[in-house]
Amino acid sequence: MTKVLLIDDEDMILEVLKAYFEKEGWDILTASNGIDALKEAKADDVDIIILDLMLPDISGEEVCRLIRKESDVPIIMLTAKSNEEDLLNGINLGADDYVKKPFSPREVVVRAQAILRRVNKRISAHELVFNEKKIIIDPIKKEVQVKGEIITLTPIEYRLLFTLASYPGRVYSRGELLEKCQEDGSYYEGYERSIDTHIKNLRKKIESNARKPEYVLTVFGMGYKFGGKPHAQNPAL
């Protein structure tokens, strides 16, 4: 469920916004001052923050600045200020958007939805998706899903799979794969034939039948390649 943190010192505004977001099926957290807002933002994994600039203890600008030091969560500022310099300052501090008071609660919800669509599109653009979403590789989270289930891979197994899947059909020699296991600065003391063992273990985890693999394929006398079919709308390939 999408989670929003609403920050405003006016109870009426919090209640109205809460009602509108709840109507859209969102999970709601609220804070009426800057200190509580920072605690909530740090303690909970929220998807977006709606932040009033006029708070009783810490300014909204300072709250935004402190949040930005630790998180890139989208922030929409609510402001009664109309001065262009003040608005631009908020954007420079890291706000993604701002809404001037008085505002339509529906407008705030729509703007939040639009921002999250853009954020989710950027994230999904990095995913490698194959065989009608039967296997999904997320290089940001370094997660692999097979038929909707997250599979636990060792770092070496993940790097091997990501390397092969990044260029479906390309044949990699064992030596090339060994280099890929080391080139990101990770320490891996192995030899070319040790790649075979990692491939065998990888197949056990991602293939329906490890003896008849459809993803990690052997090219005899040469090495390995990825045989998955890229999803029709796969943006990363």
Side-chain angles (χ1 to χ4, degrees), residues 173-197:
S173 69
R174 292 175 178 81
E176 289 175 318
L177 292 175
L178 183 62
E179 290 178 4
K180 291 294 183 180
C181 288
Q182 299 169 323
E183 69 178 11
D184 65 351
S186 301
Y187 177 74
Y188 172 60
E189 184 178 2
Y191 51 93
E192 289 188 11
R193 282 293 172 178
S194 66
I195 294 297
D196 295 345
T197 300

Side-chain angles (χ1 to χ4, degrees), residues 72-86:
D72 60 356
V73 60
I75 297 174
I76 297 178
M77 287 183 168
L78 303 179
T79 177
K81 299 178 180 180
S82 57
N83 184 285
E84 181 181 11
E85 185 174 342
D86 290 329

